[in-house]
Amino acid sequence: MKSRRMNLKSTLSALALAAPLALVAMGNDASAEKVLRVAPHADLKNLDPIWTTAYITRNHGYLVYDTLIALDEKLRPQPQMLEKWEVSDDGLKYTFTLRDGLRWHDGSPVVAEDAVASLNRWAKRDTMGQKLMDFTDSLVASSEKVFVLTLKEPYGLVLDSIGKISSNTPFMMKKEMAETDPFEQVPEVIGSGPFIFDKDAWVPGSKVVYRKNEAYVPRSEPASYAAGGKVVKVDTVEWLYIPDPATTMNALIAGEIDYWETVAPDLVPAMEGDPNIVIDVIDPLGTQGWLRPNHLNPPFDNPKARQALLHMVRQADYLRAIVGDEKLWRECGAYFMCDTPLDTAIGADPLMKQDFEMAKKLLAEAGYNGEKVVLMQPTDIPVLSGASLVTAQLLRQVGVNVEVQAMDWSTLTSRRAEKKPVSEGGWNIFHTYSTGADTSSPISNAGVSAGCEEQAWFGWPCDQMIEDLRDQFSREADPEKQKQIVKKLQTRLFEVVPYVNYGQWFQPAAYRKNLSGVLVSPVPFFWNIEVN
Amino acid sequence: MVATPTEVPLGHDKTVSRRAWDYTRRHPTVVIGLGLLLLMVVITLLAPVIAADPLFMNPIDRLRAPQEGMIFGTDMYGRDIFSRTIYGSRISLTVGISVAVLSTVVGLAIGLIAGYNRPFDAIVMRIMDGIMAIPAILLAIALVSLAGASIQNVIIAISIPEIPRVVRLVRSVVLTIREQPYVEAAISVGTNFWKILWRHILPNTVAPLIVQATYVCASAMILEAILSFLGAGTPPEIPTWGNIIAEGRTYFQRAPWIIFFPGLFLAITVLAVNILGDGLRDNLDPRVARRM
Amino acid sequence: MYAYIVRRILATIPVMGVVAVFVFLLLHLTPGDPATVIAGDYARPEDIVRIREQLGLNDPLYIQFGNWLWRLFQGDMGISIFSNLPVTHLIQQRLEPTIMMALTTIIIAIAIAVPLGVLAAWKQGTWVDRAVMVFAVLGFSVPIFVVAYAMIWGFSIKLKWLPVQGYTPIGEGLIPFLRNIIMPAVALGMVYVALIARITRASVMEVLNEDYIRTARAKGLASTTILIRHALKNAAVPIVTIIGIGIALLIGGVVVTESVFNIPGLGRLTVDAILRRDYPIIQGLILVFSGVYVLVNLLIDISYTFLDPRIRY
């Protein structure tokens, strides 16, 4: 009996030792196919970039769709699907000509009618598109390749609108798809972009697969932001969504993925020593944090209470808590971000200097008397969750009776649409952020829109002067004069305080050394990248 | 964890300390479990004295390793992990004990009535079977996400899947006892229902219920941590062990102390409750002890 | 016996009925308006009205329930709010990893726990017994995610033996499959091992104390023969029962394990769906998980009639 037990024991221990060794010895075979494995910043939930403004769907859009015009690294509009455009002398008539060789993924050629239908659908959802259509008299296809946009009166942002780099980007879709109700999602993904969406391989919540579009004809210019040649150098791009940042980092270190789109800043030090990993800020414009008060509910219906928030906030407190590494953030008062053409410090003093006494005084003047202030905290988005906690602590320090309501982001997005008073389920404050591509212009920055309950973004600021200045800006084509308008606009913004900017930070991406040709851009693009 | 009972006769002339020692020798698990648990309770009660404000953020001192002045280190917002862990024990113990009490009381009531009333029994037991068929975690997350994240809702959401187990236990005891000759006799002579309940049924359910309650308490604390970990538990602003671990998991390589200390406290507390439960089971309920 | 089996099968109907009512009511107990959640960020009031009509949310509750149940019987669990795909498709896509992980876990757990339990019972009262029981209590007490992170840290990061995350279908080779599945399965199996080891120890101990075993031992029958032929055989019923009851624990653990190890199975789908309030998916998943639980326990109950002929109904 004794010997039998010994046998069993030794067999077991031998198995226990051998099993891991065998498992270690056999890795995956390297396949001949070149696959770029990406950990995207979010799970791809919807496939229609016109229907939603979600950045992940926009990034998906850039893979499978193409745009007529695209912005280059100096944010200048360049032709992408277009051969050329011509503007009449009075500035009212734009003639656009499609370039040769454009084909939909089903093989049919791209025609001007497709472009007209796509622009019309986009303009029903996008704020810049709506504005463009307000100025538009007609948009018609005049031949297979040519379509004409006629304006009612001169408008400075025609090309910037059609070349809009971020959500909603006017992606071109086949006419049948573009005729879908803009408030419904397109039933199929038929684009003309450099990649083809593999519907069968899509596992929502986990994996998206894009195959190289062999029929795609890239432009000859070098890639620059969304402009230039979209030359695909891999066979397949796989998006592998991993919700947990620590797991994602370990997968990158272990070589199970090649590219991590949004590195949690706190994990940067853990990867810096790894010789196989490159950490880089891909979006040079950065991201701006927004503390958004509800302009309908007291106390923040009173501009003095909103100005009190400016005095209360110190950007460094937020940035240290949510970003950490000082190389990756900066304090910046400019509403249209620092280091952009519209960067100005005018009016920003109250924000840049913390003063609790002033904040208390302004709150008292606004008639605040200890009423409950509801702050919505989205716990599934670490940056916003952290910013909410910082705001809660600061509010308490200036004597505000704050109630932090924890919820997930999708609940928050439905709650924030609520215009009711706090006692009936309404809210006072939430936090969000916006990337430079959206924030750096008064037209695409949704937070500064002050069109009251009907037109403004959640929080509903209401100020005629802001709206007039934004309108002036959109009609102005001269960059110098635009800057003058922005100075007036920003002065007014710091009086009205549609939102409080809690700082600017730079989102690092990380990828393995075997990738080359990763493009610097406000949107992550997957062409031009080579897997060695 | 079965104590090997050494047959020491309990004399009446022994001193209290001697008796305590004997008890410890005979039932070391009960004493160890109870001792650890009491220690946790004391720490919890002393929290305002020994810990600082668990919510205070100090971003300058973020992600500091354990050191003098911050013996458990700090998290990504510069909050003191020691204070958070100590305050966290309040929530964990509250949730564990509340769930144990709530599910026992509700389960006891339903089980007693079900064991006594045939038509009610049929309906209730079908509903209990239905609830038991839904995995506890799934049921709890769904309930919390419905009702909103708060401690009360977490307690209720964790209690509901535990209730059917208590109901079954109580019901089976009631059914067995009802058939005992002396109870049948009592019923036949028309003894008041409440009297039967109080005299015969309740005393017999106490022992298995206490044992069951300790296990419910242990599993409730783990479930609370899991709910928080998945982002569907107590509001993250409240420092519970589950929340601290959930927030710290991103940093588990860079700052392992954030999850280590609350994890350790959680494991020790659950271990204490489980050991206590095992000990009580051997001690109070020999019938169950023989089976497990 | 067949009458018993039929009765047992019929008994699952009211259970699943209760589950179905609960699952249906889920959407209607929410504080927010489901249509508002579905419509998304930039919805206009008229979109919300339209969605409400599309989903039939304006009908009385009992009509909605009837329609929902009718579609369910036709295998239609509705359309996911976020991905716009049929829920049945999404669940099918995710089935394989979860089933494979559950099976691997059960196999590993039984392979570890039964010998441990038998050993503890055999060595009753010695340090071996105590060690096994301490291990079993630990298995209950340490949260699964703590075990999982500790294993990732040790085996993947420090020793670099196993991949950190992910899943490889068994169709792509047994070894790659095992490399991915082994850590999640062991982490998931901890509670299971604890549970089975305890019950095995208790059952075997009980049998070992029976007179006929004592007789057999006295007669000098080989210990292993006694253990296997008599003790283990008689302990089979409680062990099988606990495996059935443990299915509920396993399903709960799957939700956590798949999140930590990033396995694209039903558990991840559950967490994602709940965090996004994708109600049709949540409803489908609760139905599926509960169905599995009921089915497994049905099979186990029926298997008693074969395992232990003494049981009569």
Side-chain angles (χ1 to χ4, degrees):
Chain A
M1 190 220 125
K2 188 103 187 161
S3 66
R4 269 194 203 204
R5 262 213 347 256
M6 285 305 291
N7 273 341
L8 184 71
K9 210 164 127 194
S10 54
T11 315
L12 270 178
S13 53
L15 269 176
L17 282 175
L21 289 179
L23 297 183
V24 176
M26 306 275 293
N28 282 327
D29 296 71
S31 56
E33 196 193 16
K34 282 193 170 172
V35 184
L36 173 60
R37 295 158 305 170
V38 176
H41 71 271
D43 172 36
L44 181 68
K45 293 178 263 187
N46 310 109
L47 300 176
D48 185 344
I50 306 301
W51 184 84
T52 173
T53 55
Y55 286 155
I56 190 70
T57 308
R58 174 200 69 190
N59 298 356
H60 155 84
Y62 270 109
L63 285 159
V64 294
Y65 298 109
D66 208 349
T67 59
L68 296 168
I69 296 173
L71 299 188
D72 67 9
E73 60 193 22
K74 298 204 168 102
L75 298 174
R76 289 173 313 199
Q78 301 289 351
Q80 180 54 266
M81 289 169 80
L82 295 178
E83 171 75 41
K84 59 176 180 183
W85 62 74
E86 283 154 359
V87 188
S88 64
D89 292 338
D90 58 5
L92 290 179
K93 192 174 159 195
Y94 285 72
T95 308
F96 300 98
T97 309
L98 292 169
R99 67 182 168 101
D100 291 328
L102 301 173
R103 290 200 171 271
W104 297 112
H105 293 163
D106 64 3
S108 55
V110 177
V111 294
E113 297 247 326
D114 296 319
V116 169
S118 297
L119 284 176
N120 278 328
R121 181 164 186 265
W122 160 76
K124 291 206 177 71
R125 292 304 305 251
D126 184 67
T127 44
M128 259 177 118
Q130 284 158 6
K131 191 108 186 160
L132 175 65
M133 285 302 151
D134 290 344
F135 285 88
T136 297
D137 184 44
S138 71
L139 173 65
V140 285
S142 59
S143 75
E144 282 270 290
K145 297 216 149 176
V146 181
F147 61 99
V148 180
L149 176 81
T150 313
L151 299 173
K152 292 180 209 155
E153 49 185 302
Y155 182 55
L157 298 171
V158 173
L159 301 174
D160 297 81
S161 304
I162 298 176
K164 193 180 177 197
I165 196 164
S166 190
S167 297
N168 301 90
T169 304
F171 291 112
M172 291 300 112
M173 299 181 178
K174 201 172 150 87
K175 187 166 174 253
E176 292 102 288
M177 295 298 131
E179 281 169 346
T180 312
D181 180 344
F183 292 91
E184 305 256 354
Q185 298 193 53
V186 288
E188 268 177 275
V189 181
I190 304 179
S192 62
F195 290 91
I196 299 173
F197 173 68
D198 186 340
K199 193 178 179 187
D200 295 328
W202 182 33
V203 183
S206 173
K207 186 176 176 185
V208 196
V209 178
Y210 302 94
R211 312 266 176 216
K212 180 181 183 179
N213 177 8
E214 300 290 348
Y216 185 78
V217 183
R219 301 186 70 89
S220 53
E221 302 93 339
S224 164
Y225 277 16
K230 300 176 177 177
V231 182
V232 175
K233 297 176 177 171
V234 295
D235 301 304
T236 305
V237 171
E238 280 182 8
W239 282 5
L240 303 163
Y241 174 57
I242 307 174
D244 181 28
T247 311
T248 318
M249 176 181 76
N250 290 322
L252 183 73
I253 291 173
E256 292 158 28
I257 53 170
D258 304 305
Y259 183 113
W260 182 10
E261 195 192 321
T262 48
V263 174
D266 273 316
L267 296 180
V268 169
M271 287 182 294
E272 268 173 343
D274 193 316
N276 297 315
I277 290 175
V278 182
I279 300 162
D280 210 353
V281 172
I282 299 295
D283 175 5
L285 297 178
T287 301
Q288 187 185 60
W290 295 0
L291 183 169
R292 182 72 158 185
N294 185 343
H295 294 237
L296 300 180
N297 285 340
F300 302 115
D301 57 343
N302 187 319
K304 287 202 165 151
R306 300 196 296 269
Q307 288 162 13
L309 295 175
L310 291 176
H311 290 283
M312 176 193 88
V313 163
R314 180 166 61 197
Q315 292 186 338
D317 287 348
Y318 288 83
L319 296 164
R320 267 196 202 100
I322 61 178
V323 185
D325 190 343
E326 305 207 358
K327 292 197 291 287
L328 295 172
W329 56 262
R330 62 180 295 179
E331 295 187 285
C332 167
Y335 262 96
F336 306 107
M337 307 189 71
C338 290
D339 294 334
T340 61
L342 302 178
D343 174 6
T344 166
I346 196 162
D349 288 347
L351 175 60
M352 302 316 284
K353 196 177 148 293
Q354 192 175 37
D355 185 348
F356 284 165
E357 290 316 308
M358 191 65 189
K360 284 180 191 163
K361 185 169 154 257
L362 283 166
L363 277 167
E365 283 174 25
Y368 178 71
N369 199 13
E371 294 87 355
K372 186 174 78 178
V373 163
V374 170
L375 191 160
M376 299 190 289
Q377 180 196 16
T379 52
D380 52 341
I381 302 188
V383 163
L384 301 182
S385 186
S388 305
L389 292 178
V390 176
T391 299
Q393 179 162 323
L394 291 170
L395 282 170
R396 283 189 197 108
Q397 281 170 325
V398 296
V400 173
N401 169 20
V402 59
E403 179 181 303
V404 178
Q405 295 186 357
M407 58 192 79
D408 47 71
W409 179 250
S410 66
T411 308
L412 193 150
T413 56
S414 69
R415 275 282 299 282
R416 72 181 180 190
E418 205 63 77
K419 291 176 182 170
K420 287 186 254 175
V422 169
S423 55
E424 294 168 31
W427 56 275
N428 291 111
I429 292 176
F430 74 91
H431 296 75
T432 186
Y433 58 78
S434 175
T435 60
D438 291 314
T439 321
S440 54
S441 144
I443 304 306
S444 57
N445 182 327
V448 299
S449 154
C452 310
E453 270 194 70
E454 292 73 34
Q455 283 172 12
W457 197 65
F458 308 100
W460 309 283
C462 190
D463 187 70
Q464 194 53 46
M465 188 173 161
I466 291 179
E467 288 307 278
D468 290 345
L469 286 165
R470 289 176 69 223
D471 190 59
Q472 277 182 35
F473 178 91
S474 69
R475 288 158 196 265
E476 187 54 69
D478 178 0
E480 274 317 304
K481 286 182 182 155
Q482 281 185 337
K483 280 183 193 170
Q484 292 312 311
I485 296 171
V486 164
K487 282 195 171 155
K488 281 189 221 156
L489 176 59
Q490 182 159 309
T491 310
R492 182 63 184 161
L493 287 170
F494 275 110
E495 288 161 13
V496 175
V497 199
Y499 64 86
V500 179
N501 160 6
Y502 59 83
Q504 185 171 338
W505 66 90
F506 300 91
Q507 175 60 56
Y511 52 90
R512 292 187 64 80
K513 276 258 165 63
N514 62 343
L515 298 192
S516 57
V518 176
L519 295 169
V520 168
S521 148
V523 175
F525 297 129
F526 299 103
W527 48 84
N528 204 50
I529 298 180
E530 222 168 326
V531 181
N532 302 312
Chain B
M1 284 269 97
V2 176
T4 40
T6 44
E7 293 301 321
V8 179
L10 253 177
H12 291 284
D13 55 340
K14 283 179 184 153
T15 62
V16 175
S17 64
R18 181 67 210 268
R19 271 207 252 171
W21 172 241
D22 284 343
Y23 189 83
T24 310
R25 275 186 52 197
R26 276 151 46 101
H27 307 284
T29 51
V30 176
V31 176
I32 295 171
L34 207 58
L36 279 174
L37 208 57
L38 277 177
L39 185 69
M40 278 297 162
V41 172
V42 169
I43 289 176
T44 305
L45 293 177
L46 285 180
V49 184
I50 53 178
D53 179 358
L55 298 181
F56 186 75
M57 295 188 283
N58 186 11
I60 302 248
D61 273 332
R62 65 199 304 271
L63 296 174
R64 293 290 163 96
Q67 54 191 273
E68 210 189 320
M70 33 183 106
I71 56 169
F72 288 3
T74 64
D75 70 2
M76 57 287 184
Y77 301 131
R79 293 175 298 196
D80 182 36
I81 296 296
F82 174 73
S83 307
R84 292 177 70 71
T85 307
I86 296 300
Y87 272 94
S89 62
R90 287 191 160 188
I91 311 295
S92 270
L93 288 175
T94 310
V95 170
I97 293 168
S98 309
V99 169
V101 171
L102 186 65
S103 60
T104 306
V105 169
V106 176
L108 179 66
I110 299 177
L112 285 177
I113 302 172
Y116 227 84
N117 182 331
R118 284 273 159 201
F120 183 75
D121 181 51
I123 299 169
V124 165
M125 291 321 286
R126 291 296 80 73
I127 295 177
M128 293 299 137
D129 287 346
I131 297 177
M132 272 181 91
I134 304 174
I137 291 185
L138 225 56
L139 185 58
I141 316 180
L143 290 172
V144 174
S145 79
L146 279 179
S150 73
I151 295 182
Q152 289 97 309
N153 288 342
V154 167
I155 290 172
I156 295 170
I158 299 178
S159 297
I160 289 176
E162 300 285 359
I163 288 172
R165 283 167 252 277
V166 180
V167 172
R168 284 192 153 192
L169 182 75
V170 174
R171 177 177 170 269
S172 71
V173 174
V174 175
L175 290 183
T176 325
I177 292 171
R178 265 185 65 147
E179 293 182 4
Q180 301 286 332
Y182 63 95
V183 178
E184 279 187 345
I187 295 174
S188 64
V189 295
T191 314
N192 179 305
F193 164 75
W194 295 107
K195 212 165 175 182
I196 297 175
L197 193 72
W198 186 250
R199 282 250 178 94
H200 304 294
I201 295 178
L202 271 182
N204 281 294
T205 52
V206 167
L209 270 184
I210 289 179
V211 174
Q212 174 79 8
T214 55
Y215 293 136
V216 169
C217 176
S219 94
M221 287 192 288
I222 292 222
L223 206 51
E224 187 275 322
I226 288 178
L227 288 187
S228 300
F229 180 78
L230 294 174
T234 40
E237 216 203 3
I238 301 174
T240 71
W241 291 334
N243 278 337
I244 304 170
I245 294 172
E247 283 189 331
R249 65 177 158 154
T250 301
Y251 305 87
F252 88 100
Q253 275 154 279
R254 189 175 167 195
W257 53 88
I258 304 179
I259 65 172
F260 176 77
F261 290 105
L264 186 71
F265 271 61
L266 175 61
I268 290 178
T269 312
V270 176
L271 195 65
V273 178
N274 272 331
I275 291 176
L276 179 66
D278 283 0
L280 287 176
R281 188 198 52 214
D282 298 341
N283 212 1
L284 289 178
D285 190 4
R287 197 172 45 88
V288 183
R290 267 190 59 234
R291 294 282 311 154
M292 287 291 282
Chain C
M1 190 172 93
Y2 290 108
Y4 165 72
I5 293 176
V6 170
R7 248 190 303 132
R8 185 63 187 76
I9 291 172
L10 287 179
T12 59
I13 294 174
V15 174
M16 285 314 288
V18 171
V19 174
V21 170
F22 174 81
V23 161
F24 170 75
L25 286 178
L26 203 60
L27 182 59
H28 298 274
L29 295 173
T30 36
D33 170 26
T36 315
V37 180
I38 295 169
D41 290 14
Y42 297 93
R44 304 163 304 174
E46 55 263 41
D47 301 327
I48 295 169
V49 171
R50 194 172 43 79
I51 288 173
R52 195 173 291 136
E53 266 165 26
Q54 259 178 13
L55 295 180
L57 294 173
N58 289 327
D59 293 331
L61 215 55
Y62 65 92
I63 293 188
Q64 286 187 45
F65 182 64
N67 289 338
W68 178 75
L69 212 57
W70 177 241
R71 285 197 301 270
L72 204 60
F73 278 123
Q74 294 165 320
D76 176 5
M77 289 183 169
I79 306 286
S80 152
I81 293 167
F82 282 101
S83 65
N84 254 343
L85 294 169
V87 172
T88 29
H89 172 75
L90 290 170
I91 290 182
Q92 268 166 13
Q93 248 181 352
R94 305 292 197 110
L95 270 180
E96 196 216 294
T98 302
I99 291 177
M100 295 313 289
M101 187 165 74
L103 287 180
T104 318
T105 304
I106 293 177
I107 293 169
I108 292 179
I110 293 175
I112 296 175
V114 173
L116 273 186
V118 173
L119 187 68
W122 192 251
K123 294 274 177 186
Q124 191 180 342
T126 65
W127 68 269
V128 179
D129 181 25
R130 293 218 179 115
V132 169
M133 292 318 281
V134 166
F135 173 75
V137 182
L138 274 176
F140 280 124
S141 307
V142 182
I144 188 166
F145 44 82
V146 174
V147 179
Y149 277 122
M151 288 207 305
I152 294 180
W153 189 80
F155 294 116
S156 301
I157 296 170
K158 290 291 149 191
L159 296 172
K160 299 191 192 303
W161 283 358
L162 296 166
V164 176
Q165 54 91 37
Y167 174 76
T168 313
I170 198 162
E172 290 176 24
L174 185 65
I175 298 294
F177 165 78
L178 283 177
R179 278 169 57 86
N180 267 319
I181 210 84
I182 196 93
M183 277 203 298
V186 170
L188 185 54
M190 284 282 284
V191 178
Y192 229 34
V193 169
L195 202 60
I196 300 174
R198 278 170 76 122
I199 206 86
T200 307
R201 173 180 173 276
S203 326
V204 171
M205 222 147 81
E206 195 174 341
V207 179
L208 285 181
N209 291 331
E210 303 263 347
D211 288 341
Y212 70 99
I213 300 274
R214 289 174 194 242
T215 320
R217 282 174 100 169
K219 275 193 339 207
L221 266 179
S223 312
T224 12
T225 321
I226 295 175
L227 268 183
I228 290 168
R229 192 178 296 164
H230 299 288
L232 207 51
K233 200 178 147 203
N234 285 306
V237 169
I239 294 173
V240 171
T241 311
I242 209 75
I243 290 172
I245 292 169
I247 287 285
L249 278 177
L250 191 66
I251 291 170
V254 159
V255 177
V256 178
T257 319
E258 290 189 353
S259 294
V260 175
F261 290 98
N262 194 40
I263 294 167
L266 294 177
R268 271 269 315 274
L269 189 63
T270 310
V271 179
D272 291 350
I274 281 171
L275 292 181
R276 285 177 201 156
R277 318 213 150 189
D278 200 330
Y279 288 104
I281 301 186
I282 300 175
Q283 290 178 319
L285 283 168
I286 295 183
L287 279 173
V288 167
F289 279 135
S290 308
V292 168
Y293 177 81
V294 169
L295 187 69
V296 168
N297 281 288
L298 172 71
L299 293 177
I300 283 173
D301 276 5
I302 292 175
S303 73
Y304 290 159
T305 51
F306 301 103
L307 266 181
D308 191 345
R310 283 178 304 180
I311 297 179
R312 287 274 174 268
Y313 301 90

